[in-house]
Each structure stands twice: as C-alpha cells, then as structure tokens.
Amino acid sequence: MFNPSSDDVRRFFCEAYRKQQANAILSPIETMAADWIRHHPEYHDVLADVETALTRDYQVEGAQANPFLHLSMHLSIDEQISIDQPPGIRALATALTLKLDDAHAAQHEIMECLGEMIWNAQRSGTPPDAAAYLEAIRRRL
C-alpha cells in the first residue's frame, strides 16, 4: 500500500510543477497533477519553492486553503471517476459536469461532498459512507 508522508506529497506536487514549467517529461500521475496545477495559479508561488512548501503550516482555523490537500483531492476524485468507485460516481460526475458546463467546477462540488464524508467519518469514528457521499453529489444535481 502506498502511504506517502506529508513531505512526500508536497515534494511530488512541487516537482510536477517544476517539470511542467521546464517542459520536462512528466509521468502519467505528474501529468494529471500538472493539469490540476494549471487550474490553480493561486498555488504556483507555493509550488515553486519546495523548501517553503515543506515548512509551511496550513491551519483550518486560519481559513487558509492547503494547496497540497486540495490538489490531492482532485487526484483522488480523478481516480474515483476513472474506476467508477464508489460505483455510480462516474455517472454523477459526468452529469454534474454537464449541468455546470465545467469539469473543474464539478470537481469542486464533488470535493465538498468528499470532504464532508471524510469529516463525518472522522468525527463519528466510523468508516467513510460511500452511499452518503454519492447522495451528497446527487443533491448537487
């Protein structure tokens, strides 16, 4: 099982950004990351400085978005859609993309649902509820 540390994740996104900027060859997962990085220019300064990226703290209380969490969630949602897991997410993501006429906006809507599901699972000490996750996405349609 792949279990990267926080630093590993930060280095990965910084390296994907560096390669993207240098027009270097990207691995398939780096290509996916670079695509989402392109959609988030507000993160480019953070991604350009790996040393700062490794030491910066993103506190929920400070209402600061964590670019590494955000980009990781984009990749997670891409993976869910590609393998249709939980079953039905691909159709829901497609329908939401069509409704919003914007795949990035649809991902952000799904991301809100994913974050809510994870938060509920952590708060209650129960496994993530895929049915509730899909229902939350369905409500956004």
Side-chain angles (χ1 to χ4, degrees), residues 1-136:
M1 194 69 148
F2 183 63
N3 190 20
S5 70
S6 173
D7 284 356
D8 292 337
V9 170
R10 290 173 184 222
R11 281 188 188 95
F12 165 76
F13 283 111
C14 290
E15 181 64 5
Y17 180 68
R18 184 198 66 74
K19 285 181 170 181
Q20 176 190 48
Q21 294 304 296
N23 291 318
I25 295 172
L26 298 162
S27 70
I29 190 73
E30 288 171 333
T31 300
M32 291 171 62
D35 186 45
W36 289 116
I37 289 167
R38 259 191 297 281
H39 285 290
H40 289 284
E42 69 274 21
Y43 299 154
H44 291 180
D45 287 345
V46 172
L47 296 168
D49 183 356
V50 70
E51 293 309 315
T52 299
L54 292 173
T55 59
R56 188 154 178 200
D57 190 24
Y58 297 93
Q59 296 294 323
V60 173
E61 297 80 21
Q64 281 187 313
N66 180 330
F68 305 101
L69 174 60
H70 187 89
L71 293 168
S72 293
M73 289 180 79
H74 273 303
L75 291 181
S76 294
I77 293 165
D78 276 349
E79 178 69 10
Q80 291 173 0
I81 292 167
S82 77
I83 63 172
D84 197 29
Q85 184 60 37
I89 193 167
R90 182 182 300 142
L92 289 171
T94 299
L96 192 54
T97 297
L98 290 171
K99 176 187 176 191
L100 299 175
D101 194 30
D102 183 341
H104 188 215
Q107 275 241 348
H108 279 204
E109 293 289 322
I110 294 168
M111 192 179 295
E112 289 291 324
C113 300
L114 178 60
E116 179 183 337
M117 178 192 64
I118 292 168
W119 183 81
N120 284 331
Q122 289 174 337
R123 186 178 56 127
S124 66
T126 59
D129 184 343
Y133 175 42
L134 294 175
E135 182 54 35

